[in-house]
Amino acid sequence: MNRLASAWAIFQGLLLEALPFLLIGVLIAGLARWLAPGGAWLRKLPTHPLLAPLPGAPLGFALPACECGNVPVARRLLAGGAPIGTALGFLFAAPVLNPIVLASTWAAFPNQPWLLAARPLGALLLALLLASVLRLLPEGELLNPVLLEERRLTQPLQSVGLLERRSGLVGAAAVPVAAVPTPRPPLAEVLQHSSREFLDLAALLVLGCAIAALVQTLLPRSWLLAVGGMPTLSVLSLMLLAVVVSVCSSVDAFLALGFAAQITPGALLAFLVLGPVVDLKLLGLFGVVLQPKAIALTAAGASVAVLLLGQWVNLLQL
């Protein structure tokens, strides 16, 4: 019963912490859909594999939310026709590159200036790497089928033929046509769409929080922190802890402060960089944006990159 009570308490804490940010993200996405229904400005962003993620990553400063809130915003960017690299750069980097997270990191570690620079830089490099790797996949293997269909409906006919738009017309080649302004949808329609999106994402968030709470209860943190002084094992253990704990990026620095003295510098940075990109509650939310293959590739790529980053930091700091 004690474990069940602990799991319930952890579940409540994770859910109550993440739901407000999820709501903020859905509201931002709905507002963007209402104010810029055509998304023409999104298609003017750079599409270069390396340059595309760069304008997406700093959007976190303008749209401050944790990783849960960034998922619906990234989905709206993709559905509106934004370059895939730009949306992925936002999805992976914005949970760290926003004023709330940077301020909390500074408040938790005011005497470690290297960490204040290393965390956002590490998040940016990780976002660039993941966006570049995922762009190697065809759109059909990368994006959720529902999102892909919605994205194609917003593409001009010279970019996507009628057959790809699921119109049922066979053999219709892409024909250059003049761009037609998209009318602004009624506010009631936007609110209805946003409500459905919030409920769908909230259901996935509940499932992710439940899994994270159960794993936390069954896997004591003391086991992971017991190897905190070993250069490689400390990084691996804190990476696993970041995935299991699934705490919001806006407060994870204060959680890390509690055990920062027991672990290596590389392990501390690994915890703060990996958690906002890959954790148990996020894996479910990613399902509305990415295909399972892309989610697995994201988790594997982020893990390898953060492990190497943590090892490199330990070589410099120890």
Side-chain angles (χ1 to χ4, degrees), residues 65-71 95 246-250 275-276 279 281-282 285:
C66 78
E67 57 271 23
C68 299
N70 288 331
V71 172
S246 303
V247 69
C248 177
S249 61
S250 59
D279 63 35
K281 73 177 187 300
L282 264 181
L285 291 177

Side-chain angles (χ1 to χ4, degrees), residues 155-174:
Q155 301 297 304
L157 284 176
Q158 60 264 37
S159 300
V160 179
L162 291 175
L163 182 60
E164 287 182 291
R165 283 169 172 259
R166 305 290 183 90
S167 64
L169 300 179
V170 179

Side-chain angles (χ1 to χ4, degrees), residues 199-277:
L199 292 176
D200 292 341
L201 289 170
L204 294 172
L205 180 63
V206 168
L207 178 61
C209 290
I211 295 174
L214 288 174
V215 174
Q216 280 198 56
T217 306
L218 299 175
L219 186 64
R221 297 181 195 177
S222 58
W223 293 6
L224 300 176
L225 296 179
V227 293
M230 305 178 187
T232 302
L233 289 180
S234 64
V235 176
L236 289 171
S237 65
L238 266 293
M239 288 171 56
L240 180 58
L241 183 63
V243 173
V244 169
V245 171
S246 303
V247 69
C248 177
S249 61
S250 59
V251 296
D252 60 356
F254 295 103
L255 174 64
L257 182 62
F259 49 76
Q262 309 169 31
I263 59 176
T264 62
L268 177 61
L269 182 62
F271 178 86
L272 295 175
V273 171
L274 183 65
V277 177

